[in-house]
Amino acid sequence: MRYEYTPTNVCSRKIFIDINDDGTIENVEFLGGCNGNLKGIGQLVKGMNVEDVIKRLDGITCGMKNTSCPAQLADALKELL
C-alpha cells in the first residue's frame, strides 16, 4: 500500500511510503531535501518493520530545528499505525 505524507519544518516537501502486508517497509522516497542522505535513509529502512523504524528515527533533530526528515518519516509512520 502506498502512502503520501507532507512533512513540516524540514526541507523535504513530500514523503512517499510503500508498506508491505506484513508491516515492513518496501520503499521510501523523499521529494526535496538532501537528495543523497534521504536516498540513503530510504535504503536503510527498506525491509524493516514499521515500529522498529519509528523507534530508531523518532526525535532526531536537524541543526536548530526540533525535527528532521528522519523524524518526519517516523511521524508519518506513526500516523499510518
Side-chain angles (χ1 to χ4, degrees), residues 25-73:
I25 295 177
E26 181 177 328
N27 188 47
V28 173
E29 296 174 48
F30 290 84
L31 178 62
C34 303
N35 191 335
N37 290 333
L38 296 175
K39 283 181 182 175
I41 290 168
Q43 289 299 309
L44 289 170
V45 301
K46 190 180 247 182
M48 288 183 64
N49 180 279
V50 167
E51 292 173 353
D52 292 336
V53 173
I54 293 169
K55 288 177 191 173
R56 287 194 178 190
L57 302 182
D58 194 32
I60 292 175
T61 59
C62 182
M64 299 298 288
K65 297 177 183 177
N66 64 353
T67 191
S68 65
C69 291
Q72 289 294 295
L73 175 56

